[in-house]
């Protein structure tokens, strides 16, 4: 590495953020760019560790020490070339990935990990600013056509790879805009959609065709899709939300998180939401049920809409501040984290279970009734026992259910195709990423279940290799997983 003792001499520098009082007044991104010299210093912290476990932590197999060193040496163009070898969309992962690579960083054994995610984002933004990233259509076409169903990160990564291989790719999206959860699930303050649109313009200029407002299996039959294309990829995500079946669930004012987030993202796109369909936290007592990333996305959105109060519930106990003995390096650290949304306010309530909702008589939720729980184990599985005397009531004018997803939606495309499902309800696939239907492949959350953007991109790349080999007999495309 360029600076052999950099990790001893330089501390990790946290990404700069806009002040809370300022950022909750708008929808622009929270974090600010690093200064170039600061990023070079952060790259210098990357050790000559011998075995870079960050490679193992990253599903894409990003060549992290390579581009850290290139940034330290001020070789930014070489750094983006190295980064693009393994990651189609580093400007998205650099903003949205939770950075499992940093959890596996050798430096993180006894001190703070290298700021890998920040360096990644700085590389790709520098590359766009310098004009190093531009459209490069394939030199020739194979004559083969591929349908990609779903325009989230898995579908777009596969489409990009297959287009580079010379196939003619059409991406079908049931929504009115391309991007999947990147468009309508991720709040603007985490990733402004101009960074999505910037890359989509390049993909379109390179020859990828986008068709929005087409729900394959409803607007376009599965049979027609197969007839018109030589292969197809199912990358529609895992959009079946987990519900909370307790008394009072039918009351007005209780919504799935994704319905709430989608509506606000539409407002940010300039769409007008009819008053009778509006979901807003303005002036309300809000409870978010679910302590994960989706819950945090709701939390930041609630702050910006001007909620009167907000509490975020989590069934599990509060994580420890440091790794527990059964959570050793280089596994992902299950520790207490504070996101940008949590910095902005709200109460985090752990080890609590919602028992029922009640109304003051208007048919709209007005209170949530819950109890504290103690996590135990029964038959090898976690169980949650109520703590005697711990029941409580909380005002709630708006309740957002952010408890994860059960898998892909069944009606329509999956039913029409008759694809085999796994025991968990995801789409089954073989080692070549093909489903039980010949010529139909799958990738991302649809076959994996709810997961990370970095896994989606990695699987999209791998599925593209499987499709290319199916169409051509062999493939030169890389396969990260």
């Amino acid at each position: 590495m360029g600076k052999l003792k950099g990790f001893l001499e330089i501390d990790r520098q946290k990404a700069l953020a806009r002040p809370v009082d300022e950022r909750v007044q708008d929808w622009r991104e929270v974090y600010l760019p690093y200064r170039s010299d600061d990023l070079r210093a952060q790259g210098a912290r990357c050790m000559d560790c011998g075995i870079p476990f960050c490679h193992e932590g990253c599903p894409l197999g990003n060549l992290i020490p390579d581009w850290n060193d290139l940034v330290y040496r001020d070789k930014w163009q070489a750094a983006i070339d190295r980064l693009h070898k393994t990651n189609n969309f580093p400007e998205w992962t650099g903003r949205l990935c939770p950075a499992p690579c940093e959890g596996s960083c050798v430096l993180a054994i006894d001190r703070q990990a290298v700021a890998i995610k920040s360096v990644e984002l700085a590389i790709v933004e520098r590359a766009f600013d310098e004009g190093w990233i531009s459209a490069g259509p394939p030199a020739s076409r194979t004559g083969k056509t591929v349908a990609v169903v779903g325009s989230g990160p898995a579908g777009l990564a596969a489409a990009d790879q297959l287009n580079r291989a010379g196939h003619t790719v059409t991406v079908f999206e049931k929504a009115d805009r391309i991007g999947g959860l990147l468009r309508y699930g991720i709040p603007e303050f985490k990733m402004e959609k101009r960074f999505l649109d910037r890359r989509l313009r390049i993909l379109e200029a390179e020859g990828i065709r986008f068709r929005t407002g087409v729900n394959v299996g409803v607007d376009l039959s599965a049979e027609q899709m197969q007839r018109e294309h030589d292969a197809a990829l199912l990358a529609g995500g895992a959009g079946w939300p987990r519900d909370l079946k307790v008394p009072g669930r039918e009351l007005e004012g209780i919504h799935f998180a994704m319905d709430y987030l989608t509506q606000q993202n539409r407002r940010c796109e300039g769409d007008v939401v009819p008053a009778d369909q509006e979901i807003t936290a303005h002036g309300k007592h809000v409870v978010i049920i679910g302590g994960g990333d989706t819950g945090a996305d709701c939390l930041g959105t609630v702050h910006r809409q001007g909620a009167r109060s907000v509490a975020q519930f989590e069934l599990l106990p509060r994580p420890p501040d440091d790794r527990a003995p059964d959570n050793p390096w280089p596994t992902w650290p299950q520790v207490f984290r504070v996101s940008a949304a949590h910095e902005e306010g709200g109460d985090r309530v752990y080890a609590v279970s919602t028992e029922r909702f009640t109304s003051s008589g208007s048919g709209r939720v007005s209170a949530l009734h819950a109890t504290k729980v103690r996590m135990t184990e029964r038959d090898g599985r976690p169980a949650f026992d109520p703590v005697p005397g711990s029941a409580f009531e909380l005002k709630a004018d708006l309740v957002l259910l952010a408890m994860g997803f059960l898998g892909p939606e069944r009606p329509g495309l999956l039913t029409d195709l008759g694809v085999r499902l796994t025991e968990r309800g995801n789409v089954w696939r073989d080692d070549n990423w093909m489903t039980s239907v010949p010529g139909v492949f799958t990738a991302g959350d649809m076959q994996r279940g709810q997961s990370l953007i970095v896994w989606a991109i990695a699987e999209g790349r791998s599925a593209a290799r499987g499709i290319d080999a199916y169409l051509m007999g062999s493939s030169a495309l890389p396969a990260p997983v």
Side-chain angles (χ1 to χ4, degrees):
M1 306 306 296
K3 191 171 182 60
L4 294 179
K5 295 184 179 180
F7 68 97
L8 295 173
E9 300 169 0
I10 303 168
D11 292 330
R12 178 181 170 115
Q13 179 182 325
K14 184 179 179 181
L16 297 176
R18 298 164 59 212
V20 170
D21 290 347
E22 171 191 311
R23 71 196 196 213
V24 295
Q25 303 301 319
D26 60 48
W27 297 94
R28 290 185 292 116
E29 287 187 3
V30 167
Y31 292 106
L32 299 169
Y34 277 85
R35 291 175 56 251
S36 179
D37 288 346
D38 291 339
L39 251 297
R40 290 183 61 199
Q42 292 302 299
R45 296 187 71 239
C46 191
M47 306 167 63
D48 188 6
C49 57
I51 300 177
F53 279 84
C54 55
H55 287 188
E56 183 68 21
C58 177
L60 282 163
N62 280 334
L63 305 173
I64 295 163
D66 294 28
W67 39 260
N68 275 332
D69 184 51
L70 288 167
V71 166
Y72 168 67
R73 295 176 182 276
D74 207 23
K75 297 181 178 180
W76 292 84
Q77 189 163 8
I80 187 59
D81 291 343
R82 200 65 54 89
L83 182 50
H84 267 153
K85 285 182 181 294
T86 54
N87 188 351
N88 302 66
F89 314 121
E91 68 273 30
W92 304 344
T93 54
R95 289 177 166 88
L96 304 176
C97 180
C101 54
E102 294 186 14
S104 298
C105 174
V106 173
L107 192 56
I109 294 175
D110 62 355
R111 61 189 69 200
Q112 290 188 311
V114 175
I116 298 169
K117 179 177 171 178
S118 296
V119 176
E120 175 185 41
L121 181 58
I123 292 170
V124 67
E125 288 303 321
R126 173 75 173 268
F128 272 111
D129 290 345
E130 297 286 352
W132 298 331
I133 300 175
S134 59
S140 61
R141 293 289 178 182
T142 64
K144 302 292 185 180
T145 59
V146 183
V148 174
V149 182
S151 68
L156 292 175
D160 190 18
Q161 294 295 98
L162 289 165
N163 185 64
R164 292 179 187 183
H167 306 306
T168 299
V169 182
T170 302
V171 177
F172 294 92
E173 170 55 57
K174 66 181 180 181
D176 59 343
R177 295 181 177 94
I178 293 294
L181 289 186
L182 292 172
R183 173 74 65 184
Y184 288 131
I186 300 298
E188 196 85 357
F189 58 81
K190 285 180 69 174
M191 187 180 79
E192 294 176 29
K193 300 308 175 284
R194 60 193 177 99
F195 297 115
L196 172 60
D197 293 332
R198 179 179 62 184
R199 181 67 74 164
L200 292 176
R201 287 192 293 270
I202 292 174
L203 297 179
E204 193 165 28
E206 290 177 335
I208 296 175
R209 302 170 180 175
F210 294 116
R211 291 187 59 185
T212 57
V214 180
N215 189 349
V216 181
V218 178
D219 304 311
L220 175 70
S221 71
E223 186 274 332
Q224 183 179 351
M225 177 192 69
Q226 290 177 284
R227 185 175 68 250
E228 294 177 352
H229 299 86
D230 297 304
L233 174 69
L234 309 183
W240 182 11
R242 179 176 282 108
D243 207 343
L244 182 63
K245 298 179 180 179
V246 298
R249 167 64 181 88
E250 74 284 354
L251 293 171
E252 293 182 18
I254 304 172
H255 303 274
F256 288 119
M258 208 49 61
D259 294 337
Y260 172 69
L261 293 172
T262 295
Q263 192 177 99
Q264 180 54 53
N265 276 317
R266 286 190 174 280
R267 290 193 193 96
C268 290
E269 292 276 7
D271 296 351
V272 176
V273 178
D276 61 343
Q277 299 176 21
E278 186 178 47
I279 308 171
T280 179
H282 182 72
K284 295 178 181 176
H285 297 285
V286 182
V287 178
I288 301 165
I289 301 179
D293 288 344
T294 303
D297 292 344
C298 289
L299 181 63
T301 303
V302 162
H303 292 321
R304 284 157 180 78
Q305 289 185 348
R308 190 171 176 182
S309 70
V310 56
Q312 184 178 10
F313 283 11
E314 171 56 68
L315 182 64
L316 296 170
R318 182 188 184 280
D321 291 326
D322 301 304
R323 286 182 182 271
D326 60 351
N327 178 213
W329 176 91
T331 60
W332 173 248
Q334 304 288 346
V335 297
F336 181 73
R337 289 181 171 82
V338 178
S339 72
H342 294 124
E343 293 173 348
E344 296 163 0
D347 296 325
R348 302 175 76 175
V349 187
Y350 287 93
V352 63
S353 175
T354 300
E355 301 296 314
R356 69 185 192 279
F357 303 105
T358 56
S359 171
S360 59
S362 62
R364 185 175 186 86
V365 66
S366 60
L368 176 151
H369 304 261
T371 184
K372 298 291 289 184
V373 294
R374 183 180 296 109
M375 189 170 74
T376 59
E377 186 175 301
R378 282 195 289 272
D379 300 324
R381 298 176 63 87
F384 300 90
D385 298 327
V387 176
S390 66
F392 65 95
E393 179 181 332
L394 199 64
K395 285 185 178 180
D397 305 311
L398 174 65
V399 177
L400 302 173
L401 306 180
M403 302 179 298
F405 300 86
L406 298 174
E409 298 172 348
R410 309 291 193 279
L413 178 59
L414 299 187
T415 302
D416 288 355
L417 283 172
V419 293
R420 174 182 165 188
L421 301 179
T422 67
E423 292 181 358
R424 297 182 60 186
N426 301 318
V427 177
W428 176 91
R429 54 111 177 152
D430 64 16
D431 292 341
N432 296 315
W433 299 82
M434 190 185 294
T435 70
S436 58
V437 179
V440 178
F441 297 74
T442 187
D445 289 2
M446 181 165 269
Q447 70 86 31
R448 184 181 185 84
Q450 182 186 3
S451 191
L452 308 178
I453 181 174
V454 70
W455 274 111
I457 295 173
E459 293 192 355
R461 289 169 63 90
S462 293
R465 178 182 171 87
I467 294 170
D468 188 36
Y470 170 78
L471 294 175
M472 307 302 291
S474 63
S475 178
L477 292 174
V481 294

